[in-house]
Structures are given as structure tokens and as C-alpha cells.
Amino acid sequence: MRSLRFCCLLLMLVLCPMLTFAGPNHPKILIIYDMEGVSCVTHYEMLWVERPSEYAKGRECLTSDVNAAVRGLVAGGAGPIWIQDGHGSGNDKEPDFLVDKMDPHAKFDFRDHDFDPYNTGIDASVDAIICMDMHAHANADGFMAHTVTDRISYKINGVEFTETHIVALSAARFGIPVIMVSGDQVLRDELKPDFPELEYAQVKKAINRASAEPLPPAEVTKNIEEAAKRAMQKFLAGAFRPYYLPPPYDFQLGFQNWQQAGGAATAPGVLRDGELGVRYRASNFIEGYALSLDALRRSSDSMQVLIRILSQDPAGKKISRPTQRHLLDPLANSRQSASLHATWPKARAKNPLLRRQLAWVPGRKAFEPLPLCTEV
């Protein structure tokens, strides 16, 4: 009898680890994509819905890149794969990704409410994230290099942040690592110091901020599939850790001119930091990130021009403060801010206002991008 109990106990010790590993053995992966790092995108018109023929080419390549990642993840042992739009092309009818051409192993993350893919789009149901077709940080020589907008530099605790950093630190609150990224060689080199274990797929060579040379399509597909497969295998082996920066978080935003910095400094708790910068501290990253979006909206040249015009006219003074309060003050609240994001009927990613420098005229139905600056 004693030997029988011993055998049962031994059997349980052998089987229990196998049973508990069944869930994590097929992890849920979230793919967040941008478009500046798409393999064939070599000029900005390919990112903008108002240039239909060029934009269509960009969408095809985006879809091909993401599908290659899906195939690699599946080959590496992934479970459910969800795809989420992280780009703001101005397309308010459908995602930039061609859902009808999506790999059948993946699902697109449609939602019935507004969300920010770098914040509220991430939750604890995800096991790991890959960031597809990303770009270098502001003030770098990467193709279409910027951080959130093309106007700023974005530092936290002294670290120059890319948008991949933003995703990674946002995901870290749930213990989720970023395990793979694709883009140009400049972003690859920027990520190495902070993400030494990261798998990276180079898909093109940046010449400067305005131009790039794509790699051959077959090489792009191979690079992405192999990087995704390696990333998945390494994740299953426990090789990744969430990105960590110790709080509090010291945010430093740098701008092109003093007017932009002055506008950003009107956000609650944000102080001037020299002629072209602002600075503030936050106890947690998400609060600090939300405040940075508020400060960036307030830094809009167009918004500052509108307010200055109103304030210099006797009749305008009567409405300048109510206008400023109506347009800017609600943005201090992150929940109200999120509700202002542009949306598709069932889903939406980030507000195009935060994707590139914009001209805005009262009464106009859409935002119209200004030519991107080649130097910041």
C-alpha cells in the first residue's frame, strides 16, 4: 500500500509540470504595426491616404510584412495572434492593413470603442508583443524618424525613446516583453543597448529621413519569418524580460521652436526646460505618457496661431479663453483625451494629429499634413 502511494505521488510530480505548461506553451501574441518601417515604403506619400495610388502600395507591403511575421510566429510555436493598427494615415474607414488578405492564423483587433495601441490597446491577456515596421527616434537619420510626432525629441530618465520603447514600457506594467521588431538599420542600432535579447528583422536601408532603399522582397520575407520564429522559440525558453525603468519618470520633450515649447508648457504640471524644451515628473509611466500627449497637442503651431489671433482682436478676446478651455483643457484628462481619438466604425488606433505635423483650419473636415521637415 505504501509503495502504491509512493508510485502515485511520483506520477503526479512527473505529470503536473507538463499540465501547467500546456497554457504558456501556446502564448497569445499581439502584433502592433506602424508604417514608416514598411519594407517597400521609401517616401512619405506611401503612408498617406490622400495619395491613393502610393498609399495602396504601402498597404500591400505592410500586409505582406505582417503576414510574414505571423507565419514565423506560428512556426515558432505561437498560439492566438492578434494584429493591431498603430499607424495614423488618416484613413478613417478601415485599417491600413488589408484585412481581407490577412493570414488565416491571425485575427484583427477590431473594437467598438476608441483606444490607443501604445496604452489602452495593451492588456494582461497578451503574453508577448512584436512591433512591426517601426521607425527610429526623433533627430536620427532613420527613414521618417520621429517619436510620436515629427516635431519633438522624447526622453524619459535620460533615455532617448523610440516608439518601440513606449510600447515596451507600457507593456511592462503587465509583465509583457517586446520580443521582435522590424524596420531599418538605424532603429536596429538604437534598440540594441536597451533590448539586447530582442530579435530584429531589417527590411530596408535608410539613406536619410526622406529616403530609403528596400531590400529584395524575398530577403525581406526571409528576415521577418526567421526573426519571428527565433523570437517565439526564445520566448518559450524564457529568454525575454519586460523592459524596465525605475520610477519616478522624468519626461523631457524637446521642440523645434519656443512657440511649440511654450504651448506644451501650458499642460498641467509641465514646466519649461530651456528655450526649446519642457520637463515634468510622473509617478507611473502611463500617467506621464498621457500628459505627454496633452503637452504635444498644446504645442501645435496651428493651435497657438489661432489662440494668438483671437487674443489680439477685441472681439476675439471674448472668445479666446473659452475657445482655449474648450479645445485644450479637456485634454489634460487622459480619459477625455482618449475619447477624442479618430476612429473607424469598429476600431481605431492613434490620433493622426499625433502622427505628423498638421495644418488645421476651423470648418475643414479633415486634417491636412504639412510637408515633413527634413531636419529637427
Side-chain angles (χ1 to χ4, degrees), residues 238-302:
F240 292 99
R241 294 177 298 173
Y243 180 57
Y244 178 73
L245 278 182
Y249 298 103
D250 180 24
F251 283 74
Q252 293 174 274
L253 309 181
F255 296 87
Q256 291 174 315
N257 57 58
W258 65 267
Q259 292 98 331
Q260 292 172 354
T266 65
V270 176
L271 304 175
R272 291 295 291 263
D273 184 31
E275 184 179 0
L276 301 179
V278 298
R279 193 168 191 166
Y280 62 93
R281 282 196 171 192
S283 59
N284 70 71
F285 170 70
I286 294 302
E287 289 180 1
Y289 171 67
L291 183 53
S292 75
L293 300 187
D294 181 13
L296 293 177
R297 291 184 182 94
R298 293 168 181 262
S299 76
S300 167
D301 288 331
S302 304

Side-chain angles (χ1 to χ4, degrees), residues 185-204:
Q185 83 284 7
V186 179
L187 175 61
R188 177 199 63 203
D189 294 342
E190 290 176 349
L191 295 179
K192 278 183 180 179
D194 297 321
F195 303 90
E197 73 282 358
L198 183 75
E199 287 295 332
Y200 193 89
Q202 183 180 340
V203 298
K204 61 186 174 185

Side-chain angles (χ1 to χ4, degrees), residues 34 64 119 190 205 257 261 264 275 293 302 311 328 348-349 352 374:
D34 211 336
S64 176
N119 178 2
E190 290 176 349
K205 179 182 178 181
N257 57 58
E275 184 179 0
L293 300 187
S302 304
S311 65
L328 296 179
R348 185 52 211 159
T374 56

Side-chain angles (χ1 to χ4, degrees), residues 142-164:
F143 177 71
M144 300 290 289
H146 66 278
T147 308
V148 186
T149 81
D150 68 305
R151 300 193 306 273
I152 69 158
S153 63
Y154 196 110
K155 290 184 179 181
I156 302 178
N157 291 4
V159 178
E160 188 79 50
F161 261 46
T162 67
E163 292 185 19
T164 302

